[in-house]
Each structure stands twice: as structure tokens, then as C-alpha cells.
């Protein structure tokens, strides 16, 4: 199988008694270690991400437009990676380095659903219920931009609520986001965050080498025990392991759709 699963740069070579250990790191390491104070005006999420890619010398594979921000500030109390994760969550996007070590920021690509079967090609399967952390999300922004003042009023304050709400009645999580300046953006962020709060099942499965698995891909698990509400899951992360005793093993972190 000649499927590429990872690209990186050699970080360390360690000679041990019976083996040679080589540590290879993604270019995303630059996003983790770099911290900057930056300010953007009238920029989409894509423009901000593109700028950060240039700062960290990272090649983008795909960057979707995302939300339009009248202004957006980044502080050095958090890494560039943390800021990118926050942007992705607000836009309802995924963020990862692909097999070529290029940055992906956007909606998950429609990939072919992978099918596994309990008792056939699954070595181990663990699933647990996720608690519903909040039934409803409320996002509060600022500015009268949505109340007749338009974009020029984005830097002003207002007594009117710039509020977005998503979800059903129940435990509510309230979040203040000064960078959100319009009702449309507040609603968009509320929906994106509420989707991440939905209860369901999470877990991991181990399968014989699945080099073709991708982040964000759908996985169907056949012959699950009766009572399972769904057999369709999204790939949140995965790791590959090649050992002399066990061969090629892939561990996949999943979440119910």
C-alpha cells in the first residue's frame, strides 16, 4: 500500500541499543510555539487564517471564507494554533494538517464512507455517551451595525442586544464575544457552537491498517449491539502504528453523527 498518511520534518534522531528512533514533526508545530499580537480590520476568517499561514510559513490546502469580521484581534496570551482553533469553532469548520502537511480550514469534504463490521475487521471498539453540556447557546456581541448603522457603526457601542441563539430550552451557555458585531454573525456562531454541544456517543475503534482514513470522514459500523441509536460516525482523529508483533494497526477516534 503506497498511500501517503503523513508528511513532516525530522526533528530528532536518537540512536538506542537495538533501534534508531526518529522523531518527525508537522509544520503545525510553528503554530503551537508562535504567539503574536495582531489586529485585522474588515477581514473574513479566511483572510485571517491566510495571514497566519504566512506568518508560520505553512502551505494552505484549502481555506473557506467563514465569517466576516469588522475587526478581529489576536493576543500573545494564546498560541496561533489556539486562535485558529477558536476561529474554526466560531465558523463551524474543521482545522487540521492533511497528509501533505498542508493546512485545511473549512467544512469537512464529502468523502466516501468507510464501512467496518463488529466481529469482522474491528479489533476493539469502545463507545460512551457524551453528556449534553448545554441545550442552548447564546452569543452576545456588540455594536449597532445591524440596527441601521451599517458597517461604519461596527466600532460603536449599543444598548440593544446583538444576540444569537441556537438550541432548545434547557441549560444555557452564555458567551460574550466583542469581536461579533452583527446579528447575522452572532446567530451563525451560536449555531456552530451548539452543533458541537449535541449529546451522542464518542469512542475509538482499532482496525487493521486503514491508511486511507481521513479526518472528517464518515464511518459506518455494522452489527452494533441492539439499542444503538446510530451506526454512523465522524472521524475526529486517528493514529497509525506498525509493530513487528501486531503489524499495521489504525486507531480511530469517532463521534456519532
Amino acid at each position: 500500500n503506497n498511500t501517503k498518511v503523513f508528511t513532516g520534518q525530522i526533528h530528532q534522531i536518537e540512536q538506542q541499543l537495538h533501534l534508531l528512533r526518529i522523531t518527525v514533526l508537522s509544520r503545525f508545530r510553528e503554530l503551537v510555539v508562535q504567539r503574536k499580537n495582531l489586529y485585522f480590520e474588515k477581514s473574513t476568517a479566511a483572510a485571517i487564517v491566510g495571514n497566519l499561514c504566512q506568518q508560520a510559513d505553512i502551505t494552505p490546502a484549502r481555506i473557506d471564507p467563514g465569517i466576516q469580521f469588522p475587526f478581529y484581534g489576536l493576543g500573545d496570551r494564546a498560541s496561533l494554533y489556539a486562535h485558529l482553533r477558536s476561529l474554526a469553532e466560531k465558523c463551524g469548520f474543521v482545522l487540521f494538517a492533511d497528509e501533505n502537511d498542508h493546512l485545511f480550514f473549512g467544512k469537512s469534504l464529502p468523502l466516501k464512507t468507510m464501512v467496518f463490521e463488529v466481529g469482522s475487521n474491528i479489533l476493539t471498539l469502545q463507545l460512551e455517551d457524551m453528556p449534553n453540556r448545554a441545550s442552548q447557546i447564546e452569543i452576545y456581541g456588540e455594536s449597532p451595525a445591524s440596527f441601521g448603522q451599517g458597517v461604519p457603526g461596527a466600532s460603536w457601542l449599543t444598548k440593544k442586544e446583538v444576540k444569537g441563539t441556537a438550541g432548545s430550552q434547557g441549560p444555557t451557555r452564555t458567551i460574550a464575544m466583542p469581536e461579533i458585531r452583527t446579528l447575522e454573525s452572532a446567530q451563525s456562531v451560536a449555531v456552530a457552537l451548539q452543533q458541537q454541544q449535541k449529546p451522542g456517543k464518542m469512542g475509538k475503534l482499532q482496525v487493521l491498517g486503514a491508511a486511507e482514513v481521513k479526518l472528517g470522514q464518515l464511518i459506518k459500523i455494522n452489527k452494533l449491539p441492539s439499542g444503538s441509536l446510530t451506526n454512523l460516525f465522524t472521524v475526529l482523529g486517528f493514529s497509525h502504528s506498525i509493530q513487528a508483533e501486531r503489524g499495521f494497526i489504525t486507531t480511530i477516534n469517532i463521534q456519532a453523527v
Side-chain angles (χ1 to χ4, degrees):
N1 192 328
N2 294 320
T3 302
K4 183 189 291 188
V5 298
F6 177 77
T7 300
Q9 297 177 327
I10 295 177
H11 175 69
Q12 184 178 31
I13 299 177
E14 182 181 357
Q15 179 68 61
Q16 298 183 359
L17 184 59
H18 298 296
L19 58 86
L20 182 67
R21 185 184 300 275
I22 302 175
T23 303
V24 182
L25 300 178
S26 164
R27 286 291 304 171
F28 266 43
R29 178 178 182 273
E30 291 299 314
L31 295 174
V32 174
V33 299
Q34 288 193 32
R35 295 168 179 260
K36 296 180 181 290
N37 291 306
L38 298 170
Y39 182 79
F40 299 89
E41 290 186 349
K42 299 179 182 178
S43 299
T44 61
I48 298 170
V49 173
N51 183 283
L52 297 187
C53 283
Q54 291 181 343
Q55 302 259 358
D57 192 23
I58 289 176
T59 302
R62 171 175 163 173
I63 302 178
D64 287 352
I67 297 173
Q68 173 82 33
F69 295 96
F71 73 86
Y72 199 88
L74 308 182
D76 60 6
R77 291 187 177 183
S79 67
L80 295 187
Y81 178 75
H83 287 302
L84 285 174
R85 282 294 301 270
S86 177
L87 263 177
E89 290 173 357
K90 290 170 186 171
C91 296
F93 290 169
V94 294
L95 169 71
F96 60 85
D98 66 14
E99 65 275 14
N100 297 308
D101 205 22
H102 296 165
L103 179 140
F104 184 101
F105 178 89
K107 290 288 187 183
S108 296
L109 293 173
L111 301 169
K112 180 180 178 181
T113 300
M114 298 186 69
V115 180
F116 298 100
E117 188 172 296
V118 176
S120 176
N121 53 359
I122 295 178
L123 302 177
T124 63
L125 173 63
Q126 299 175 340
L127 292 174
E128 61 181 20
D129 290 321
M130 295 165 45
N132 189 357
R133 290 170 287 177
S135 299
Q136 189 175 73
I137 298 291
E138 291 182 349
I139 301 297
Y140 288 88
E142 296 179 359
S143 98
S146 293
F147 307 117
Q149 304 300 330
V151 174
S155 61
W156 306 348
L157 299 179
T158 179
K159 293 182 179 180
K160 295 182 179 179
E161 285 188 346
V162 181
K163 177 183 175 182
T165 304
S168 56
Q169 293 295 326
T172 300
R173 182 185 177 195
T174 301
I175 308 171
M177 292 186 178
E179 67 273 20
I180 299 301
R181 295 274 152 170
T182 66
L183 291 171
E184 180 183 5
S185 295
Q187 186 62 33
S188 176
V189 173
V191 171
L193 294 184
Q194 197 274 332
Q195 290 293 322
Q196 300 164 31
Q197 299 282 328
K198 282 187 174 181
K201 289 186 179 294
M202 289 187 69
K204 63 176 57 178
L205 71 155
Q206 277 195 340
V207 299
L208 294 175
E212 65 277 16
V213 66
K214 306 287 185 184
L215 288 169
Q217 189 168 13
L218 291 179
I219 284 182
K220 184 179 181 182
I221 302 179
N222 290 330
K223 294 188 177 180
L224 277 173
S226 59
S228 299
L229 296 177
T230 180
N231 65 345
L232 200 60
F233 299 84
T234 301
V235 175
L236 300 181
F238 60 87
S239 62
H240 299 296
S241 174
I242 301 177
Q243 301 176 6
E245 302 83 4
R246 302 187 66 194
F248 183 18
I249 303 295
T250 299
T251 302
I252 308 173
N253 298 323
I254 56 176
Q255 179 175 336
V257 174

